[in-house]
Amino acid sequence: MSLTNPSVVRALLARHKIRLRKRWGQNFLIDAHVLEKIVSFAQINSDDTVLEIGAGIGTLTQKLAERAARVIAVEIDARLIPLLREHLRAHSHTEILCQDFLEFDLKSLPSQTKVVGNLPYYITAPILEKLIEAHKHLHSALVMVQLEVAEKLSALVGTRDASAITVFAQAFADVEYLTKVSKHCFFPKPEVDSALVRLGFLRQPRFQAPEDLFFKVVRASFNLRRKTLLQALSQSPWLALPRDSVRAALEKAAIDPQRRGETLSLEEFDRLAQQIDAVVRTKL
Ligand code: SAM
């Protein structure tokens, strides 16, 4: 049965009396060429463990299972589980979990797990943050995201196109924008185009500051984008620091307090987070 054939998918869903839910981002891939691209970009070897986010009816899961040693497929919609089981019957090394991915414990995975997912777009940001936070356990993440998100992830840090997620992704991973994917490659057709992006997680992040503080400083710098760094950081509930302490940290990091967060390079974010760490320590 070809799951990339829209007539087959339509008939299958009708037979199981399933109406797809927009709010769960249920747009299934129906382009065999794109499917092959995903599998090839994910660089799966026969000894790999692969985690798939949002398995749907198993279109991509089948392809992953043909290559990997073990596949863990997470899908929130209980109605799709019988279809998934049926489509993965020949692949006993596939575990199908009916679960919200945001609740999934990534630390339970073997190290160097490869993540693959045609993501449900309504929770793209929390999924990416969860993956980045679990970087130590993961080898890479090959994700289909909305085109704008792909552009944001691969934007140059220090330019207006960047945001907090750009800095987080590039601090922990090599980010590759791979290819645009037209909305016509999905059933039902979504309103937006998509793109494939690969995050290859680094053994060591590209900064020295304590991780939690680096996250807080980046988040605070972009949270009030129109304000100067001095204003944005001293008004941040995540840092909870007096204005004078923020000014001192900025000066020690040799960063003009009047600059905006979006102009900082990754190296400057690191310097700033290290100086803020020093301020926080002297207050303890
Ligand atoms: N992998 C399939 C494909 O490529 O055709 C389906 C991809 S579809 C864009 C996203 C899938 O994620 C849907 O099957 C949806 O039910 C599932 N999903 C939505 N929210 C989820 C969540 N919080 N946790 C796990 N799966 C979720």
Side-chain angles (χ1 to χ4, degrees):
M1 184 192 306
S2 170
L3 297 178
T4 48
N5 180 331
S7 313
V8 170
V9 176
R10 199 178 281 114
L12 189 68
L13 295 172
R15 201 161 62 243
H16 288 80
K17 299 189 173 53
I18 295 172
R19 283 190 63 163
L20 293 180
R21 293 194 179 140
K22 211 172 170 178
R23 71 183 166 95
W24 271 342
Q26 292 182 330
N27 304 96
F28 299 151
L29 194 60
I30 47 156
D31 187 302
H33 186 57
V34 173
L35 194 59
E36 289 305 327
K37 275 192 187 169
I38 296 178
V39 178
S40 134
F41 284 138
Q43 299 170 16
I44 293 160
N45 302 314
S46 55
D47 54 353
D48 282 335
T49 296
V50 177
L51 171 73
E52 190 195 0
I53 305 170
I57 53 172
T59 320
L60 176 56
T61 327
Q62 285 180 337
K63 293 283 170 193
L64 299 171
E66 281 166 17
R67 294 182 187 220
R70 181 181 172 201
V71 176
I72 303 161
V74 182
E75 170 55 55
I76 200 171
D77 190 345
R79 302 171 308 162
L80 301 178
I81 302 300
L83 280 77
L84 265 173
R85 289 200 198 293
E86 171 67 22
H87 299 153
L88 273 305
R89 210 178 28 189
H91 302 284
S92 56
H93 55 298
T94 304
E95 293 147 58
I96 296 166
L97 305 179
C98 185
Q99 195 181 343
D100 178 348
F101 173 72
L102 296 179
E103 313 263 299
F104 183 86
D105 179 14
L106 290 171
K107 296 189 184 82
S108 67
L109 293 168
S111 68
Q112 297 294 302
T113 293
K114 293 181 178 171
V115 176
V116 180
N118 175 11
L119 299 189
Y121 294 167
Y122 74 106
I123 45 167
T124 303
I127 290 178
L128 291 173
E129 283 180 24
K130 186 177 166 90
L131 294 176
I132 292 167
E133 274 170 22
H135 61 95
K136 287 194 189 106
H137 300 267
L138 306 177
H139 173 276
S140 53
L142 188 281
V143 286
M144 176 91 73
V145 291
Q146 209 171 311
L147 183 60
E148 286 71 18
V149 176
E151 287 167 353
K152 188 129 297 244
L153 284 169
S154 52
L156 205 59
V157 175
T159 67
R160 292 183 73 173
D161 298 331
S163 66
I165 195 72
T166 321
V167 183
F168 293 148
Q170 295 184 25
F172 291 98
D174 285 327
V175 178
E176 279 174 273
Y177 175 107
L178 297 164
T179 187
K180 181 178 166 181
V181 177
S182 159
K183 59 179 108 171
H184 298 284
C185 300
F186 300 89
F187 170 84
K189 190 176 78 171
E191 277 147 31
V192 292
D193 286 323
S194 299
L196 289 169
V197 178
R198 186 170 179 279
L199 278 67
F201 293 105
L202 303 166
R203 285 192 186 275
Q204 289 297 326
R206 294 192 167 95
F207 62 89
Q208 316 278 315
E211 204 169 301
D212 62 329
L213 205 62
F214 181 82
F215 270 94
K216 284 182 188 170
V217 168
V218 173
R219 232 184 266 285
S221 303
F222 282 99
N223 195 39
L224 300 170
R225 285 188 84 122
R226 294 181 175 276
K227 302 221 171 183
T228 65
L229 270 171
L230 180 59
Q231 290 168 323
L233 297 178
S234 44
Q235 288 172 26
S236 166
W238 296 303
L239 294 173
L241 285 173
R243 199 176 165 90
D244 284 349
S245 303
V246 172
R247 188 191 295 281
L250 281 161
E251 279 169 9
K252 282 199 183 136
I255 295 169
D256 182 345
Q258 299 308 313
R259 282 174 65 185
R260 291 192 178 158
E262 65 194 23
T263 69
L264 261 58
S265 66
L266 227 154
E267 197 264 326
E268 287 176 312
F269 274 118
D270 186 19
R271 248 173 29 223
L272 180 55
Q274 288 187 49
Q275 290 306 332
I276 290 184
D277 181 46
V279 169
V280 172
R281 279 170 193 281
T282 54
K283 286 174 149 283
L284 293 177

